[in-house]
Amino acid sequence: MSDGLPLRPVLARLGWAAAVCWVVLTAAFLVVAAVPDTRMVYFTEVEMGFVAVDTVSGGPVSAYVDWLTAVATLQWGQSVYFETSVRSLYARRIPVTAVYVLPGAVAAVLVGTLLTTYAAVEPDGLLARLLSGSGVVGLTVPAFLPAAVLFATMADTLGWLQVYDPDLGLWHARNLRRLQVPGAIVGLSLLGVQVRHVRSETAERLHETFVKTAEAKGAGRRRVAAHVFRTAWPSAASLVVGESLGVLLLATVAVETVLEFPGAGRLVFLGFVAGDPMVSAVALVGIVVVGVAGTLAIELLRAVYDPRVDR
């Protein structure tokens, strides 16, 4: 571990994160601004675009400032499709998604990183073959396929696979059991990406001098794997907010849509399909902000713990 990170690189990374978020917010503003003020939905004229956001008004400059303020203060206006507050929609649905996505993602990352690093020391072993097989399944089988098979053929046989019941509440035992299914599917999809990447990273490091030195001193498999992990974890962590984030988002949308779970993934899908401007814009901005925040955190950690990173 180094003695810390100088202020200048931190400010530079913070500036990069702020610039990316500003560009996305500006792009979202331009898209919503191009949406007509009204639209006919089932023979009823509904408000669209900035008309649905009470805090955005005036000329282009004033509307732009109001838009940035509205997004920052969570004043996201009304949903055209759901006919309710966009903020309340996400407030109700994000916890449903988080309850199954977070455990599935954490399990996939831990298994994919720790076990794959350990198995890479003995690439021809049983553990390495099992992880390789699970990785292939996670990469090649789209998330909606197992979800569709389970929903179509097994829902009547296994009661805990039935549709999520909002009336019971998120923390009801039945709903928590039903959330295990999408959690397992999302975790398997993420595991495939993680196993492939970590295996590639560890394979490169097995031929480095510090590994050969450790083996020459009689270090066992676990000790060698620990040495490899200390040098490979920054790259593995970067993957979680890079390639894995995209896989996680796609898998969440697919699973919730097929299994009809009232989570944030299904909300985003319905928002884009229905052409709901504010639901779609908030989803786009939120995804980018999460990705930028994660990337920023990983970059700062790498700069502190990885001496190979240029400061």
Side-chain angles (χ1 to χ4, degrees), residues 18-296:
V20 172
C21 292
W22 173 76
V23 169
V24 174
L25 283 169
T26 302
F29 168 81
L30 295 175
V31 171
V32 177
V35 175
D37 291 343
T38 60
R39 174 184 175 188
M40 295 300 296
V41 178
Y42 297 114
F43 305 104
T44 302
E45 190 175 56
V46 297
E47 294 181 340
M48 297 282 287
F50 289 135
V51 178
V53 186
D54 298 333
T55 57
V56 177
S57 61
V61 176
S62 176
Y64 179 64
V65 174
D66 289 344
W67 162 257
L68 296 179
T69 304
V71 173
T73 57
L74 310 184
Q75 302 300 316
W76 298 334
Q78 295 292 114
S79 165
V80 175
Y81 181 81
F82 294 94
E83 298 182 344
T84 187
S85 166
V86 175
R87 182 175 63 182
S88 65
L89 280 173
Y90 279 103
R92 291 196 306 267
R93 289 173 176 258
I94 287 177
V96 177
T97 299
V99 164
Y100 76 85
V101 164
L102 292 180
V106 169
V109 170
L110 289 178
V111 171
T113 302
L114 298 178
L115 286 186
T116 303
T117 303
Y118 180 75
V121 180
E122 189 178 339
D124 296 327
L126 176 61
L127 179 59
R129 291 197 296 269
L130 290 174
L131 289 173
S132 178
S134 64
V136 170
V137 172
L139 285 172
T140 57
V141 178
F144 72 86
L145 185 58
V149 170
L150 288 171
F151 187 73
T153 64
M154 300 179 66
D156 294 333
T157 303
L158 300 176
W160 48 275
L161 285 177
Q162 294 174 357
V163 178
Y164 179 94
D165 188 353
D167 295 333
L168 295 178
L170 174 60
W171 302 108
H172 194 280
R174 292 183 183 178
N175 280 338
L176 291 178
R177 287 198 300 270
R178 291 162 186 170
L179 287 171
Q180 294 173 12
V181 177
I185 296 173
V186 169
L188 181 59
S189 299
L190 188 61
L191 178 64
V193 180
Q194 196 73 11
V195 166
R196 183 190 65 176
H197 185 79
V198 173
R199 184 173 54 190
S200 174
E201 289 293 323
T202 53
E204 295 178 1
R205 287 167 173 75
L206 287 175
H207 302 289
E208 294 186 6
T209 304
F210 73 91
V211 174
K212 296 185 180 298
T213 301
E215 292 176 338
K217 292 181 178 181
R221 182 180 181 183
R222 184 179 302 176
R223 186 72 176 273
V224 172
H227 282 300
V228 174
F229 175 76
R230 279 195 289 269
T231 62
W233 79 262
S235 179
S238 299
L239 177 70
V240 176
V241 293
E243 184 178 353
S244 293
L245 180 60
V247 173
L248 188 64
L249 291 171
L250 290 175
T252 300
V253 171
V255 168
E256 290 189 3
T257 300
V258 173
L259 294 179
E260 299 181 2
F261 278 89
R266 181 171 172 80
L267 173 61
V268 171
F269 174 78
L270 293 176
F272 277 100
V273 170
D276 195 318
M278 292 311 301
V279 171
S280 303
V282 170
L284 174 63
V285 173
I287 291 170
V288 173
V289 168
V290 170
V292 169
T295 302
L296 176 63

